Amino acid sequence: MEYQTLIIGAGAAGMMCAAHAGPGTLVVDHAKAPGEKIRISGGGRCNFTNMHASPANFVSVNKHFCKSALSRYTQWDFIALVDDYGISWHEKTLGQLFCDVSAKDIIAMLQSEMDKAKAALWLNTHVQDIQSDGTHFRVSLLKDGKDYALKVRNLVVACGGKSIPKMGATGFAYQIAAQFDVPVVAPRPGLVPLTFSDERFKSLAGVAAPARVSANDTSFDEAILFTHRGLSGPAVLQASSYWHEGDEIRINLDPEGALLEKLQANRQSDGRKAFATVLGQHLPTRLVDHLSQALNLQGNIADQSDAKLNAVCTALSDWVLRPAGSEGYRTAEVTLGGIDTDALSSRTMEVSRTKGLYFIGEAVDVTGWLGGYNFQWAWSLGWAAGQAIAGK
């Protein structure tokens, strides 16, 4: 069987690429349904892009690589497509856009776009072997117990990274990269909860608080959530993409810098109250109880000097912790690292030394922040590769 283009992976990037790659395109996936990560994202409503998406919101060894695709297919282009399909949406917070009804609306839209482009979709299909003769790729597929041999000019690898293996994620993209001598930046879990070996926060599980979390000089102001095994919440997930094993993180529980002034006011108005009780008016009570011994929260608030109040506020604004690890790919929302961008054209996503071979999606060493940025990268990347293939 001869097609022009074979796309491995019916996720966000793969389907977007198929909608633009031109005639003779086949998309294959081992899953039972396309767009499974889209379906579960955003609590089932898909945080499909972010109004503030820019190259500054992405992590990569080459921070400039994402600029071309993001500038040529923007969040506004995708929003326009969503609007064309009458899919209602809303901004939740920080520019994050969600479907009003269901993530399935985005999947149906992408499938409709593929249908318009006459792209074929094979599910429950496994890639058995890939070979290249320099001008074509010969791919062996297994679908419903039957073998198929394909010959294609373009092979697009869009089968994702290692995150959320229960959804079928594998490292297959990296295996293909190794076969064609394409370098890979060591993959690791991203947007992932951090863990501590001593379960120090077990008693705080479920407690949340606004904070600024910093890792390697990059900071995020959002909520943190204490878990049985460590720390989660948006600010921690964001910082995890900049954290490496062995690094420390810093937590500022007074991100607005107003706590000292509030405590001084409490000293005047609530002088007879216990210091810990007053602090519990500004931070979660269970968290204050957890920190009370380390902060020496003894006596009434009226008994505390400015120096003591300042010392407590300083400690709360620079809480240094060293996580033992992370929850790993099991709960990571994305995979950091991946296909080395030095091996790819930033305009087309084609491998420079292997014509006709493309890598797109999460397998590439570009990872967005939490909040719709990774989907926008998938749309931009898929569009760029599809346009390049169609332009051939």
Side-chain angles (χ1 to χ4, degrees):
M1 303 179 68
E2 188 165 347
Y3 284 86
Q4 288 293 320
T5 302
L6 174 65
I7 300 174
I8 302 174
M15 287 195 285
M16 190 67 172
C17 181
H20 294 275
T25 297
L26 171 65
V27 183
V28 299
D29 200 297
H30 62 209
K32 297 178 181 178
E36 282 292 85
K37 276 194 176 181
I38 299 174
R39 181 182 61 81
I40 68 167
S41 68
R45 291 194 175 181
C46 186
N47 179 191
F48 59 82
T49 191
N50 193 294
M51 296 174 68
H52 307 307
S54 76
N57 307 117
F58 294 84
V59 182
S60 175
V61 170
N62 180 358
K63 63 182 181 180
H64 301 291
F65 182 83
C66 64
K67 291 180 177 179
S68 176
L70 288 172
S71 67
R72 289 187 295 128
Y73 191 89
T74 70
Q75 59 269 42
W76 310 112
D77 293 315
F78 193 76
I79 291 168
L81 179 62
V82 170
D83 287 343
D84 285 345
Y85 275 80
I87 299 172
S88 58
W89 52 269
H90 61 278
E91 180 186 357
K92 189 173 181 180
T93 183
L94 301 173
Q96 301 169 11
L97 303 189
F98 289 78
C99 297
D100 284 351
V101 180
S102 173
K104 294 178 182 178
D105 292 339
I106 299 295
I107 300 172
M109 178 191 75
L110 293 170
Q111 287 188 275
S112 177
E113 288 292 289
M114 287 174 58
D115 290 342
K116 289 179 183 178
K118 295 182 169 54
L121 173 63
W122 289 8
L123 299 170
N124 293 306
T125 302
H126 299 266
V127 178
Q128 303 288 83
D129 185 56
I130 301 171
Q131 299 296 330
S132 172
D133 61 13
T135 59
H136 290 82
F137 297 91
R138 298 182 182 276
V139 184
S140 299
L141 301 175
L142 178 65
K143 174 178 168 56
D144 299 328
K146 185 176 180 181
D147 293 316
Y148 294 87
L150 270 65
K151 178 182 177 184
V152 296
R153 289 186 177 276
N154 307 297
L155 179 64
V156 183
V157 182
C159 47
K162 294 183 175 181
S163 58
I164 318 183
K166 69 179 181 181
M167 299 296 296
T170 69
F172 187 51
Y174 313 131
Q175 296 176 30
I176 298 174
Q179 179 180 343
F180 290 94
D181 295 321
V182 178
V184 172
V185 176
R188 57 191 177 89
L191 299 179
V192 63
L194 300 177
T195 59
F196 296 81
S197 57
D198 56 6
E199 296 186 333
R200 66 185 70 179
F201 299 131
K202 189 173 183 178
S203 65
L204 293 177
V207 172
R212 176 177 300 139
V213 181
S214 305
N216 290 309
D217 300 321
T218 302
S219 302
F220 295 92
D221 287 31
E222 287 190 77
I224 62 171
L225 174 68
F226 293 90
T227 71
H228 285 86
R229 288 167 48 81
L231 288 167
S232 187
V236 172
L237 297 182
Q238 296 277 40
S240 74
S241 291
Y242 294 85
W243 175 85
H244 292 80
E245 194 162 331
D247 291 344
E248 63 186 21
I249 62 171
R250 308 183 96 91
I251 297 178
N252 182 350
L253 292 167
D254 180 26
E256 295 182 359
L259 183 58
L260 177 59
E261 185 177 335
K262 291 177 180 178
L263 291 176
Q264 288 171 332
N266 289 137
R267 186 172 58 188
Q268 296 297 320
S269 62
D270 303 308
R272 298 176 63 181
K273 289 185 177 180
F275 187 12
T277 300
V278 172
L279 189 57
Q281 296 173 9
H282 306 292
L283 294 172
T285 303
R286 285 165 60 194
L287 177 57
V288 173
D289 290 343
H290 178 83
L291 295 172
S292 61
Q293 185 173 350
L295 296 175
N296 191 25
L297 302 179
Q298 297 180 352
N300 294 334
I301 185 70
D303 302 326
Q304 311 304 317
S305 65
D306 279 346
K308 174 60 177 178
L309 294 182
N310 189 65
V312 169
C313 291
T314 298
L316 290 172
S317 64
D318 192 23
W319 188 13
V320 181
L321 298 167
R322 194 179 300 277
S326 78
E327 291 287 3
Y329 290 116
R330 179 179 63 85
T331 59
E333 295 202 17
V334 293
T335 303
L336 292 156
I339 307 304
D340 192 331
T341 57
D342 284 348
L344 307 177
S345 162
S346 64
R347 187 169 182 82
T348 67
M349 308 305 143
E350 187 175 24
V351 176
S352 302
R353 295 189 301 178
T354 306
K355 296 305 177 185
L357 178 61
Y358 300 76
F359 285 89
I360 62 174
E362 191 180 335
V364 177
D365 177 35
V366 177
T367 304
W369 289 3
L370 185 72
Y373 296 99
N374 286 293
F375 274 130
Q376 183 55 47
W377 178 235
W379 315 138
S380 298
L381 202 62
W383 179 91
Q387 290 286 312
I389 292 168
K392 287 184 175 182

